[in-house]
Amino acid sequence: MVLVAGCGGGSTDEPGGADISSGSRHLDLVAYAVPKIGFDEVIPAFRTTEAGEDIGFSASYGASGDQSRKVARRVPADVVNFSVEPDITRLVKAGLVDKDWKAQAPYKSTPFGSVVALVVRKGNPKDIHDWADLLKPGVQVVTPNPGSSGSAKWNLLAPFAAASDGGVNPEAGLDYVAELVRDHIKVVPKSGREATTAFEQGQGDVLISYENEAIMLDRANATAAANSQVEYVIPPQTFKIENPVAVVNTSDDLAGAKSFVDFLFTPEAQRIWAQQGFRPVDPEVIAETQNLFPGDIEKLWTIDEVGKVLGKGTAEDNDGKDLTGWKAVDEALFGKKGAITEIYDAGGRQ
């Protein structure tokens, strides 16, 4: 586990790094890898408020599933932020997060999100514009392992939904994923951040990623060598990424943890998320920052839409109610017997 005791420009052992660890009170944040650049700015901003002025932080970042399993094994945590809801559900089952966690903060406890994007080399030499282009002969794709990474699930849900009409024709979606895995995914990092690093190092032609990672890489072009520069594409059909947050109920400072989570939804924090490439959830800030998120999305699929379709007809095995949302999607696609899990286990062979 990567433990970052100081963020806001760097950890405390880096020259000029902001020390976020000081304070008479202390919170442990355990999060998935990608939003570190956001928390690097949000945490110092929170510490300037009356609620946060005497709270120090330790922050741990890594693959979402791995981070969730560590907290379930009682790694110290006061606040968690994961890539997908099932990684918080694991903590509910472990008795570490309240069952009503989604009702404890606005917008179902989701302070920011993103959409699935395609990052390509500068000039787009492989002429990548939509999901079908990833299946062109010779195109190599980088995306993390869905067994450890929440971002990988979002990345695969986007083309699955596009190819299957939101799950209405699941075989078409699974055929796409199988071909992608078998013939085009040659690099399978553990997390979204590791996938980004692999692409930066020259591996692959296309990186399936969060839009915020794509924005970060695009901004880095100003200082990157010509052969390391990139651009990104938002496919006409893509997927809405929702990254939830929750308070761990065994926290020694529940009031402090709750005040930090509340801060994430304030206009100040929402603007910071937007500036760091994450899509805010506050309607006023969404309107205020819409110029930061270019791209013409014709259809933005959601986990609620696809879950409703994939969960249809599951009532008999689930106390008389069809599964919905992530429960339905994980059962059908990413669980131990899920169709996409089986595709990965078989190397794309069906």
Side-chain angles (χ1 to χ4, degrees):
M1 177 170 63
V2 179
L3 184 64
V4 184
C7 305
S11 59
T12 54
D13 59 355
E14 294 176 355
D19 182 1
I20 62 164
S21 62
S22 61
S24 64
R25 300 159 66 187
H26 187 85
L27 294 178
D28 289 304
L29 168 68
V30 179
Y32 70 106
V34 169
K36 179 182 183 300
I37 60 170
F39 282 118
D40 281 353
E41 304 298 328
V42 168
I43 290 174
F46 172 66
R47 281 164 53 86
T48 67
T49 67
E50 183 178 352
E53 62 182 354
D54 202 31
I55 297 179
F57 282 79
S58 294
S60 160
Y61 303 95
S64 187
D66 290 348
Q67 293 288 80
S68 173
R69 283 183 281 271
K70 288 173 183 175
V71 176
R73 295 196 299 266
R74 301 308 194 266
V75 164
D78 299 285
V79 176
V80 293
N81 173 220
F82 295 140
S83 178
V84 292
E85 183 180 315
D87 288 335
I88 293 183
T89 302
R90 178 182 291 112
L91 304 187
V92 174
K93 292 178 179 178
L96 297 171
V97 168
D98 295 344
K99 291 181 180 179
D100 67 344
W101 64 273
K102 283 197 283 187
Q104 293 180 3
Y107 308 103
K108 297 182 180 179
S109 291
T110 300
F112 60 85
S114 193
V115 300
V116 180
L118 302 175
V119 186
V120 298
R121 304 298 174 186
K122 193 70 173 179
N124 198 359
K126 297 288 186 175
D127 197 28
I128 305 295
H129 300 283
D130 206 345
W131 296 109
D133 297 326
L134 272 57
L135 304 185
K136 291 178 180 178
V139 172
Q140 293 195 6
V141 176
V142 179
T143 188
N145 187 334
S148 60
S149 169
S151 66
K153 293 182 178 182
W154 294 117
N155 291 355
L156 296 170
L157 276 171
F160 172 84
S164 68
D165 189 23
V168 172
N169 183 5
E171 288 307 317
L174 294 173
D175 286 346
Y176 178 96
V177 173
E179 185 174 350
L180 185 71
V181 171
R182 183 182 65 245
D183 299 334
H184 301 277
I185 296 177
K186 307 300 181 183
V187 181
V188 190
K190 289 186 66 176
S191 72
R193 177 45 51 82
E194 288 185 15
T196 298
T197 299
F199 191 73
E200 286 181 295
Q201 293 173 345
Q203 299 185 60
D205 303 301
V206 184
L207 170 69
I208 309 178
S209 189
Y210 289 13
E211 178 188 40
N212 52 277
E213 288 285 280
I215 290 171
M216 180 191 73
L217 288 171
D218 191 52
R219 290 174 179 173
N221 285 342
T223 55
N227 60 356
S228 298
Q229 294 185 0
V230 303
E231 57 190 72
Y232 68 93
V233 175
I234 305 296
Q237 290 194 52
T238 190
F239 215 94
K240 182 181 180 181
I241 295 167
E242 300 168 86
N243 307 129
V245 64
V247 171
V248 178
N249 59 27
T250 55
S251 170
D252 291 332
D253 190 348
L254 285 171
K258 180 66 166 62
S259 65
F260 178 61
V261 168
D262 288 344
F263 178 75
L264 302 181
F265 296 88
T266 63
E268 178 184 1
Q270 289 286 292
R271 293 186 185 99
I272 293 173
W273 288 119
Q275 291 159 5
Q276 297 303 313
F278 298 86
R279 295 199 176 211
V281 293
D282 181 284
E284 291 187 9
V285 181
I286 290 173
E288 179 185 320
T289 60
Q290 61 182 348
N291 63 305
L292 299 177
F293 304 99
D296 184 13
I297 299 174
E298 296 174 5
K299 174 60 182 176
L300 185 62
W301 294 102
T302 69
I303 198 69
D304 286 344
E305 284 180 286
V306 175
K308 184 176 181 180
V309 173
L310 294 182
K312 190 174 182 180
T314 60
E316 185 176 344
D317 297 323
N318 294 283
D319 299 324
K321 293 183 178 180
D322 282 348
L323 295 176
T324 59
W326 267 111
K327 288 182 179 179
V329 170
D330 255 3
E331 179 78 14
L333 302 178
F334 297 114
K336 291 182 179 180
K337 296 182 180 179
I340 288 180
T341 299
E342 291 180 351
I343 285 171
Y344 264 80
D345 289 346
R349 295 179 295 277
Q350 290 178 291

